[in-house]
PDB file of all heavy atoms in Angstrom:
ATOM      1  N   ALA M   1      10.721  -2.761 -14.006  1.00 93.00           N
ATOM      2  CA  ALA M   1       9.736  -1.781 -13.596  1.00 93.00           C
ATOM      3  C   ALA M   1      10.110  -1.234 -12.215  1.00 93.00           C
ATOM      4  O   ALA M   1      10.025  -0.097 -11.941  1.00 93.00           O
ATOM      5  CB  ALA M   1       8.354  -2.284 -13.608  1.00 93.00           C
ATOM      6  N   ALA M   2      10.585  -2.100 -11.337  1.00 91.00           N
ATOM      7  CA  ALA M   2      10.922  -1.755 -10.030  1.00 91.00           C
ATOM      8  C   ALA M   2      12.214  -0.816 -10.044  1.00 91.00           C
ATOM      9  O   ALA M   2      12.187   0.232  -9.406  1.00 91.00           O
ATOM     10  CB  ALA M   2      11.197  -2.971  -9.113  1.00 91.00           C
ATOM     11  N   VAL M   3      13.182  -1.186 -10.915  1.00 92.00           N
ATOM     12  CA  VAL M   3      14.369  -0.449 -10.957  1.00 92.00           C
ATOM     13  C   VAL M   3      14.211   0.878 -11.514  1.00 92.00           C
ATOM     14  O   VAL M   3      14.782   1.862 -11.195  1.00 92.00           O
ATOM     15  CB  VAL M   3      15.435  -1.262 -11.844  1.00 92.00           C
ATOM     16  CG1 VAL M   3      16.640  -0.381 -12.206  1.00 92.00           C
ATOM     17  CG2 VAL M   3      15.964  -2.500 -11.055  1.00 92.00           C
ATOM     18  N   SER M   4      13.184   0.986 -12.492  1.00 93.00           N
ATOM     19  CA  SER M   4      12.889   2.226 -13.049  1.00 93.00           C
ATOM     20  C   SER M   4      12.211   3.285 -12.186  1.00 93.00           C
ATOM     21  O   SER M   4      12.144   4.477 -12.572  1.00 93.00           O
ATOM     22  CB  SER M   4      12.005   2.044 -14.343  1.00 93.00           C
ATOM     23  OG  SER M   4      10.617   1.725 -13.965  1.00 93.00           O
ATOM     24  N   GLY M   5      11.676   2.795 -11.086  1.00 93.00           N
ATOM     25  CA  GLY M   5      11.030   3.637 -10.184  1.00 93.00           C
ATOM     26  C   GLY M   5       9.564   3.734 -10.371  1.00 93.00           C
ATOM     27  O   GLY M   5       8.851   4.283  -9.549  1.00 93.00           O
ATOM     28  N   LYS M   6       9.019   2.970 -11.324  1.00 96.00           N
ATOM     29  CA  LYS M   6       7.614   2.976 -11.603  1.00 96.00           C
ATOM     30  C   LYS M   6       6.873   2.167 -10.635  1.00 96.00           C
ATOM     31  O   LYS M   6       5.615   2.137 -10.531  1.00 96.00           O
ATOM     32  CB  LYS M   6       7.299   2.569 -13.079  1.00 96.00           C
ATOM     33  CG  LYS M   6       7.719   3.622 -14.092  1.00 96.00           C
ATOM     34  CD  LYS M   6       6.739   4.740 -14.184  1.00 96.00           C
ATOM     35  CE  LYS M   6       5.437   4.357 -14.834  1.00 96.00           C
ATOM     36  NZ  LYS M   6       4.502   5.420 -14.937  1.00 96.00           N
ATOM     37  N   VAL M   7       7.530   1.177 -10.052  1.00 95.00           N
ATOM     38  CA  VAL M   7       6.906   0.175  -9.116  1.00 95.00           C
ATOM     39  C   VAL M   7       7.717   0.182  -7.789  1.00 95.00           C
ATOM     40  O   VAL M   7       8.910   0.140  -7.817  1.00 95.00           O
ATOM     41  CB  VAL M   7       7.017  -1.222  -9.732  1.00 95.00           C
ATOM     42  CG1 VAL M   7       6.625  -2.290  -8.772  1.00 95.00           C
ATOM     43  CG2 VAL M   7       6.153  -1.289 -10.954  1.00 95.00           C
ATOM     44  N   SER M   8       6.965   0.164  -6.747  1.00 94.00           N
ATOM     45  CA  SER M   8       7.588  -0.063  -5.359  1.00 94.00           C
ATOM     46  C   SER M   8       7.021  -1.435  -4.817  1.00 94.00           C
ATOM     47  O   SER M   8       5.939  -1.748  -5.083  1.00 94.00           O
ATOM     48  CB  SER M   8       7.203   1.098  -4.455  1.00 94.00           C
ATOM     49  OG  SER M   8       7.528   2.395  -5.011  1.00 94.00           O
ATOM     50  N   VAL M   9       7.826  -1.987  -3.991  1.00 93.00           N
ATOM     51  CA  VAL M   9       7.511  -3.213  -3.307  1.00 93.00           C
ATOM     52  C   VAL M   9       7.468  -3.066  -1.813  1.00 93.00           C
ATOM     53  O   VAL M   9       8.610  -2.486  -1.239  1.00 93.00           O
ATOM     54  CB  VAL M   9       8.347  -4.413  -3.782  1.00 93.00           C
ATOM     55  CG1 VAL M   9       7.866  -5.677  -3.083  1.00 93.00           C
ATOM     56  CG2 VAL M   9       8.324  -4.619  -5.249  1.00 93.00           C
ATOM     57  N   VAL M  10       6.398  -3.451  -1.190  1.00 94.00           N
ATOM     58  CA  VAL M  10       6.380  -3.390   0.326  1.00 94.00           C
ATOM     59  C   VAL M  10       5.987  -4.693   0.817  1.00 94.00           C
ATOM     60  O   VAL M  10       5.016  -5.369   0.372  1.00 94.00           O
ATOM     61  CB  VAL M  10       5.264  -2.297   0.730  1.00 94.00           C
ATOM     62  CG1 VAL M  10       5.180  -2.346   2.275  1.00 94.00           C
ATOM     63  CG2 VAL M  10       5.574  -0.950   0.328  1.00 94.00           C
ATOM     64  N   THR M  11       6.854  -5.224   1.756  1.00 93.00           N
ATOM     65  CA  THR M  11       6.531  -6.530   2.311  1.00 93.00           C
ATOM     66  C   THR M  11       6.054  -6.404   3.797  1.00 93.00           C
ATOM     67  O   THR M  11       6.870  -5.928   4.667  1.00 93.00           O
ATOM     68  CB  THR M  11       7.766  -7.428   2.413  1.00 93.00           C
ATOM     69  OG1 THR M  11       8.257  -7.581   0.991  1.00 93.00           O
ATOM     70  CG2 THR M  11       7.534  -8.766   2.922  1.00 93.00           C
ATOM     71  N   ASP M  12       4.814  -6.553   4.056  1.00 93.00           N
ATOM     72  CA  ASP M  12       4.106  -6.290   5.240  1.00 93.00           C
ATOM     73  C   ASP M  12       2.739  -6.803   5.335  1.00 93.00           C
ATOM     74  O   ASP M  12       2.317  -7.285   4.281  1.00 93.00           O
ATOM     75  CB  ASP M  12       4.262  -4.687   5.547  1.00 93.00           C
ATOM     76  CG  ASP M  12       4.183  -4.361   7.065  1.00 93.00           C
ATOM     77  OD1 ASP M  12       3.801  -5.222   7.873  1.00 93.00           O
ATOM     78  OD2 ASP M  12       4.580  -3.248   7.359  1.00 93.00           O
ATOM     79  N   THR M  13       2.082  -6.671   6.386  1.00 91.00           N
ATOM     80  CA  THR M  13       0.696  -7.010   6.444  1.00 91.00           C
ATOM     81  C   THR M  13      -0.142  -5.617   6.589  1.00 91.00           C
ATOM     82  O   THR M  13       0.452  -4.633   6.961  1.00 91.00           O
ATOM     83  CB  THR M  13       0.271  -7.893   7.620  1.00 91.00           C
ATOM     84  OG1 THR M  13       0.763  -7.404   8.840  1.00 91.00           O
ATOM     85  CG2 THR M  13       0.994  -9.283   7.441  1.00 91.00           C
ATOM     86  N   ILE M  14      -1.465  -5.737   6.390  1.00 91.00           N
ATOM     87  CA  ILE M  14      -2.285  -4.574   6.523  1.00 91.00           C
ATOM     88  C   ILE M  14      -2.914  -4.429   7.898  1.00 91.00           C
ATOM     89  O   ILE M  14      -3.454  -5.333   8.422  1.00 91.00           O
ATOM     90  CB  ILE M  14      -3.402  -4.564   5.462  1.00 91.00           C
ATOM     91  CG1 ILE M  14      -2.693  -4.636   3.979  1.00 91.00           C
ATOM     92  CG2 ILE M  14      -4.343  -3.418   5.572  1.00 91.00           C
ATOM     93  CD1 ILE M  14      -3.755  -4.899   2.954  1.00 91.00           C
ATOM     94  N   ASP M  15      -2.720  -3.179   8.459  1.00 91.00           N
ATOM     95  CA  ASP M  15      -3.362  -2.957   9.744  1.00 91.00           C
ATOM     96  C   ASP M  15      -4.800  -2.445   9.540  1.00 91.00           C
ATOM     97  O   ASP M  15      -5.723  -2.940  10.201  1.00 91.00           O
ATOM     98  CB  ASP M  15      -2.587  -1.938  10.532  1.00 91.00           C
ATOM     99  CG  ASP M  15      -3.238  -1.720  11.826  1.00 91.00           C
ATOM    100  OD1 ASP M  15      -3.187  -2.559  12.730  1.00 91.00           O
ATOM    101  OD2 ASP M  15      -3.693  -0.483  12.096  1.00 91.00           O
ATOM    102  N   ARG M  16      -5.024  -1.517   8.680  1.00 90.00           N
ATOM    103  CA  ARG M  16      -6.313  -1.036   8.498  1.00 90.00           C
ATOM    104  C   ARG M  16      -6.394  -0.192   7.197  1.00 90.00           C
ATOM    105  O   ARG M  16      -5.275   0.085   6.592  1.00 90.00           O
ATOM    106  CB  ARG M  16      -6.747  -0.115   9.631  1.00 90.00           C
ATOM    107  CG  ARG M  16      -5.923   1.192   9.814  1.00 90.00           C
ATOM    108  CD  ARG M  16      -6.230   1.976  10.997  1.00 90.00           C
ATOM    109  NE  ARG M  16      -5.430   3.253  11.038  1.00 90.00           N
ATOM    110  CZ  ARG M  16      -4.201   3.406  11.508  1.00 90.00           C
ATOM    111  NH1 ARG M  16      -3.496   2.251  11.840  1.00 90.00           N
ATOM    112  NH2 ARG M  16      -3.681   4.504  11.546  1.00 90.00           N
ATOM    113  N   ASP M  17      -7.649  -0.067   6.664  1.00 92.00           N
ATOM    114  CA  ASP M  17      -7.841   0.840   5.588  1.00 92.00           C
ATOM    115  C   ASP M  17      -8.216   2.220   5.994  1.00 92.00           C
ATOM    116  O   ASP M  17      -8.820   2.424   7.031  1.00 92.00           O
ATOM    117  CB  ASP M  17      -9.015   0.240   4.747  1.00 92.00           C
ATOM    118  CG  ASP M  17      -8.585  -1.048   3.997  1.00 92.00           C
ATOM    119  OD1 ASP M  17      -8.673  -2.148   4.703  1.00 92.00           O
ATOM    120  OD2 ASP M  17      -8.165  -0.988   2.789  1.00 92.00           O
ATOM    121  N   THR M  18      -7.850   3.229   5.162  1.00 93.00           N
ATOM    122  CA  THR M  18      -8.247   4.521   5.414  1.00 93.00           C
ATOM    123  C   THR M  18      -8.831   5.139   4.097  1.00 93.00           C
ATOM    124  O   THR M  18      -8.730   4.476   3.129  1.00 93.00           O
ATOM    125  CB  THR M  18      -6.994   5.439   5.836  1.00 93.00           C
ATOM    126  OG1 THR M  18      -6.105   5.530   4.633  1.00 93.00           O
ATOM    127  CG2 THR M  18      -6.184   4.762   6.906  1.00 93.00           C
ATOM    128  N   PRO M  19      -9.444   6.321   4.170  1.00 94.00           N
ATOM    129  CA  PRO M  19      -9.898   6.867   2.940  1.00 94.00           C
ATOM    130  C   PRO M  19      -8.768   7.091   1.915  1.00 94.00           C
ATOM    131  O   PRO M  19      -9.041   6.987   0.660  1.00 94.00           O
ATOM    132  CB  PRO M  19     -10.450   8.239   3.384  1.00 94.00           C
ATOM    133  CG  PRO M  19     -10.854   8.071   4.772  1.00 94.00           C
ATOM    134  CD  PRO M  19      -9.912   7.123   5.345  1.00 94.00           C
ATOM    135  N   GLU M  20      -7.587   7.284   2.315  1.00 95.00           N
ATOM    136  CA  GLU M  20      -6.419   7.531   1.403  1.00 95.00           C
ATOM    137  C   GLU M  20      -5.796   6.251   0.858  1.00 95.00           C
ATOM    138  O   GLU M  20      -5.088   6.296  -0.161  1.00 95.00           O
ATOM    139  CB  GLU M  20      -5.369   8.305   2.177  1.00 95.00           C
ATOM    140  CG  GLU M  20      -5.786   9.729   2.673  1.00 95.00           C
ATOM    141  CD  GLU M  20      -6.564   9.667   3.920  1.00 95.00           C
ATOM    142  OE1 GLU M  20      -6.414   8.730   4.627  1.00 95.00           O
ATOM    143  OE2 GLU M  20      -7.223  10.690   4.178  1.00 95.00           O
ATOM    144  N   GLY M  21      -5.931   5.102   1.606  1.00 94.00           N
ATOM    145  CA  GLY M  21      -5.282   3.914   1.164  1.00 94.00           C
ATOM    146  C   GLY M  21      -5.293   2.907   2.287  1.00 94.00           C
ATOM    147  O   GLY M  21      -6.308   2.614   2.881  1.00 94.00           O
ATOM    148  N   VAL M  22      -4.057   2.370   2.547  1.00 94.00           N
ATOM    149  CA  VAL M  22      -3.995   1.319   3.608  1.00 94.00           C
ATOM    150  C   VAL M  22      -2.792   1.693   4.508  1.00 94.00           C
ATOM    151  O   VAL M  22      -1.806   2.274   4.055  1.00 94.00           O
ATOM    152  CB  VAL M  22      -3.802  -0.136   3.198  1.00 94.00           C
ATOM    153  CG1 VAL M  22      -4.976  -0.509   2.210  1.00 94.00           C
ATOM    154  CG2 VAL M  22      -2.437  -0.240   2.381  1.00 94.00           C
ATOM    155  N   VAL M  23      -2.875   1.311   5.767  1.00 95.00           N
ATOM    156  CA  VAL M  23      -1.800   1.473   6.725  1.00 95.00           C
ATOM    157  C   VAL M  23      -1.323   0.135   7.061  1.00 95.00           C
ATOM    158  O   VAL M  23      -2.079  -0.820   7.414  1.00 95.00           O
ATOM    159  CB  VAL M  23      -2.300   2.202   8.059  1.00 95.00           C
ATOM    160  CG1 VAL M  23      -1.167   2.261   8.986  1.00 95.00           C
ATOM    161  CG2 VAL M  23      -2.833   3.603   7.743  1.00 95.00           C
ATOM    162  N   THR M  24       0.018  -0.136   6.842  1.00 94.00           N
ATOM    163  CA  THR M  24       0.527  -1.420   7.145  1.00 94.00           C
ATOM    164  C   THR M  24       0.784  -1.615   8.790  1.00 94.00           C
ATOM    165  O   THR M  24       0.668  -0.653   9.478  1.00 94.00           O
ATOM    166  CB  THR M  24       2.013  -1.555   6.499  1.00 94.00           C
ATOM    167  OG1 THR M  24       2.849  -0.730   7.077  1.00 94.00           O
ATOM    168  CG2 THR M  24       1.759  -1.278   4.957  1.00 94.00           C
ATOM    169  N   ALA M  25       1.047  -2.835   9.004  1.00 93.00           N
ATOM    170  CA  ALA M  25       1.301  -3.199  10.471  1.00 93.00           C
ATOM    171  C   ALA M  25       2.367  -2.395  10.986  1.00 93.00           C
ATOM    172  O   ALA M  25       2.604  -2.075  12.252  1.00 93.00           O
ATOM    173  CB  ALA M  25       1.616  -4.684  10.599  1.00 93.00           C
ATOM    174  N   SER M  26       3.463  -1.985  10.229  1.00 95.00           N
ATOM    175  CA  SER M  26       4.595  -1.272  10.644  1.00 95.00           C
ATOM    176  C   SER M  26       4.286   0.282  10.720  1.00 95.00           C
ATOM    177  O   SER M  26       5.180   1.051  11.058  1.00 95.00           O
ATOM    178  CB  SER M  26       5.798  -1.474   9.804  1.00 95.00           C
ATOM    179  OG  SER M  26       5.469  -1.133   8.382  1.00 95.00           O
ATOM    180  N   GLY M  27       3.068   0.684  10.350  1.00 95.00           N
ATOM    181  CA  GLY M  27       2.655   2.056  10.398  1.00 95.00           C
ATOM    182  C   GLY M  27       2.805   2.925   9.105  1.00 95.00           C
ATOM    183  O   GLY M  27       2.420   4.118   9.065  1.00 95.00           O
ATOM    184  N   GLU M  28       3.254   2.282   8.041  1.00 95.00           N
ATOM    185  CA  GLU M  28       3.375   3.027   6.766  1.00 95.00           C
ATOM    186  C   GLU M  28       2.043   3.171   6.093  1.00 95.00           C
ATOM    187  O   GLU M  28       1.231   2.236   5.932  1.00 95.00           O
ATOM    188  CB  GLU M  28       4.339   2.219   5.842  1.00 95.00           C
ATOM    189  CG  GLU M  28       4.501   2.939   4.539  1.00 95.00           C
ATOM    190  CD  GLU M  28       5.417   2.159   3.566  1.00 95.00           C
ATOM    191  OE1 GLU M  28       5.931   1.049   3.871  1.00 95.00           O
ATOM    192  OE2 GLU M  28       5.575   2.629   2.367  1.00 95.00           O
ATOM    193  N   LEU M  29       1.741   4.457   5.652  1.00 95.00           N
ATOM    194  CA  LEU M  29       0.544   4.704   4.866  1.00 95.00           C
ATOM    195  C   LEU M  29       0.909   4.616   3.395  1.00 95.00           C
ATOM    196  O   LEU M  29       1.793   5.207   2.916  1.00 95.00           O
ATOM    197  CB  LEU M  29       0.038   6.157   5.190  1.00 95.00           C
ATOM    198  CG  LEU M  29      -1.102   6.670   4.188  1.00 95.00           C
ATOM    199  CD1 LEU M  29      -2.287   5.807   4.363  1.00 95.00           C
ATOM    200  CD2 LEU M  29      -1.370   8.070   4.421  1.00 95.00           C
ATOM    201  N   ILE M  30       0.172   3.700   2.663  1.00 96.00           N
ATOM    202  CA  ILE M  30       0.352   3.579   1.173  1.00 96.00           C
ATOM    203  C   ILE M  30      -0.845   4.189   0.518  1.00 96.00           C
ATOM    204  O   ILE M  30      -2.034   3.636   0.716  1.00 96.00           O
ATOM    205  CB  ILE M  30       0.446   2.093   0.823  1.00 96.00           C
ATOM    206  CG1 ILE M  30       1.658   1.410   1.576  1.00 96.00           C
ATOM    207  CG2 ILE M  30       0.601   2.065  -0.639  1.00 96.00           C
ATOM    208  CD1 ILE M  30       1.717  -0.123   1.198  1.00 96.00           C
ATOM    209  N   GLU M  31      -0.712   5.368  -0.022  1.00 97.00           N
ATOM    210  CA  GLU M  31      -1.707   6.089  -0.588  1.00 97.00           C
ATOM    211  C   GLU M  31      -2.150   5.480  -1.985  1.00 97.00           C
ATOM    212  O   GLU M  31      -1.296   5.057  -2.777  1.00 97.00           O
ATOM    213  CB  GLU M  31      -1.487   7.598  -0.820  1.00 97.00           C
ATOM    214  CG  GLU M  31      -1.293   8.276   0.513  1.00 97.00           C
ATOM    215  CD  GLU M  31      -0.973   9.796   0.397  1.00 97.00           C
ATOM    216  OE1 GLU M  31      -0.435  10.146  -0.502  1.00 97.00           O
ATOM    217  OE2 GLU M  31      -1.564  10.477   1.279  1.00 97.00           O
ATOM    218  N   ALA M  32      -3.449   5.388  -2.360  1.00 97.00           N
ATOM    219  CA  ALA M  32      -3.854   4.809  -3.536  1.00 97.00           C
ATOM    220  C   ALA M  32      -5.101   5.441  -4.077  1.00 97.00           C
ATOM    221  O   ALA M  32      -6.011   5.856  -3.295  1.00 97.00           O
ATOM    222  CB  ALA M  32      -3.972   3.332  -3.488  1.00 97.00           C
ATOM    223  N   ASP M  33      -5.295   5.427  -5.371  1.00 97.00           N
ATOM    224  CA  ASP M  33      -6.598   5.745  -5.947  1.00 97.00           C
ATOM    225  C   ASP M  33      -7.279   4.474  -6.294  1.00 97.00           C
ATOM    226  O   ASP M  33      -8.598   4.491  -6.512  1.00 97.00           O
ATOM    227  CB  ASP M  33      -6.377   6.560  -7.292  1.00 97.00           C
ATOM    228  CG  ASP M  33      -5.562   7.779  -7.010  1.00 97.00           C
ATOM    229  OD1 ASP M  33      -5.982   8.708  -6.158  1.00 97.00           O
ATOM    230  OD2 ASP M  33      -4.462   7.952  -7.670  1.00 97.00           O
ATOM    231  N   LEU M  34      -6.643   3.428  -6.563  1.00 97.00           N
ATOM    232  CA  LEU M  34      -7.176   2.072  -6.941  1.00 97.00           C
ATOM    233  C   LEU M  34      -6.436   1.025  -6.159  1.00 97.00           C
ATOM    234  O   LEU M  34      -5.206   0.985  -6.130  1.00 97.00           O
ATOM    235  CB  LEU M  34      -7.036   1.893  -8.484  1.00 97.00           C
ATOM    236  CG  LEU M  34      -7.273   0.498  -8.989  1.00 97.00           C
ATOM    237  CD1 LEU M  34      -8.729   0.128  -8.782  1.00 97.00           C
ATOM    238  CD2 LEU M  34      -6.829   0.435 -10.503  1.00 97.00           C
ATOM    239  N   ILE M  35      -7.228   0.095  -5.588  1.00 96.00           N
ATOM    240  CA  ILE M  35      -6.671  -1.086  -4.923  1.00 96.00           C
ATOM    241  C   ILE M  35      -7.088  -2.283  -5.624  1.00 96.00           C
ATOM    242  O   ILE M  35      -8.265  -2.428  -5.956  1.00 96.00           O
ATOM    243  CB  ILE M  35      -7.089  -1.159  -3.528  1.00 96.00           C
ATOM    244  CG1 ILE M  35      -6.508  -0.040  -2.611  1.00 96.00           C
ATOM    245  CG2 ILE M  35      -6.592  -2.507  -2.968  1.00 96.00           C
ATOM    246  CD1 ILE M  35      -6.934  -0.013  -1.202  1.00 96.00           C
ATOM    247  N   ILE M  36      -6.184  -3.130  -6.149  1.00 96.00           N
ATOM    248  CA  ILE M  36      -6.458  -4.313  -6.834  1.00 96.00           C
ATOM    249  C   ILE M  36      -6.055  -5.533  -5.914  1.00 96.00           C
ATOM    250  O   ILE M  36      -4.864  -5.585  -5.495  1.00 96.00           O
ATOM    251  CB  ILE M  36      -5.664  -4.564  -8.250  1.00 96.00           C
ATOM    252  CG1 ILE M  36      -6.143  -3.276  -9.059  1.00 96.00           C
ATOM    253  CG2 ILE M  36      -6.030  -5.821  -8.826  1.00 96.00           C
ATOM    254  CD1 ILE M  36      -5.264  -3.252 -10.363  1.00 96.00           C
ATOM    255  N   ALA M  37      -6.968  -6.363  -5.622  1.00 94.00           N
ATOM    256  CA  ALA M  37      -6.633  -7.590  -4.782  1.00 94.00           C
ATOM    257  C   ALA M  37      -6.198  -8.675  -5.786  1.00 94.00           C
ATOM    258  O   ALA M  37      -7.029  -9.117  -6.646  1.00 94.00           O
ATOM    259  CB  ALA M  37      -7.874  -8.044  -4.064  1.00 94.00           C
ATOM    260  N   ALA M  38      -5.002  -9.116  -5.589  1.00 93.00           N
ATOM    261  CA  ALA M  38      -4.467 -10.151  -6.419  1.00 93.00           C
ATOM    262  C   ALA M  38      -4.160 -11.336  -5.456  1.00 93.00           C
ATOM    263  O   ALA M  38      -3.113 -11.976  -5.272  1.00 93.00           O
ATOM    264  CB  ALA M  38      -3.190  -9.858  -7.141  1.00 93.00           C
ATOM    265  N   THR M  39      -5.315 -11.689  -4.662  1.00 88.00           N
ATOM    266  CA  THR M  39      -5.187 -12.600  -3.491  1.00 88.00           C
ATOM    267  C   THR M  39      -5.580 -14.059  -3.868  1.00 88.00           C
ATOM    268  O   THR M  39      -5.740 -14.851  -3.060  1.00 88.00           O
ATOM    269  CB  THR M  39      -6.111 -12.048  -2.417  1.00 88.00           C
ATOM    270  OG1 THR M  39      -7.383 -11.712  -2.961  1.00 88.00           O
ATOM    271  CG2 THR M  39      -5.424 -10.768  -1.758  1.00 88.00           C
TER     272      THR M  39
END
């Protein structure tokens, strides 16, 4: 699924949530309509 482009993997921690998604500690915004915690 990752090779097909349907899945992306990000290795980082979360800095904060925004209305659009989450911002990682490195400053990347990951936009989402649904967040699933698999924690």
Side-chain angles (χ1 to χ4, degrees):
V3 167
S4 73
K6 292 283 288 181
V7 170
S8 301
V9 180
V10 177
T11 303
D12 207 339
T13 57
I14 299 173
D15 178 68
R16 65 188 185 279
D17 291 86
T18 71
E20 297 78 23
V22 303
V23 176
T24 68
S26 61
E28 179 182 357
L29 171 63
I30 303 176
E31 295 184 322
D33 305 302
L34 167 67
I35 295 178
I36 301 174
T39 44

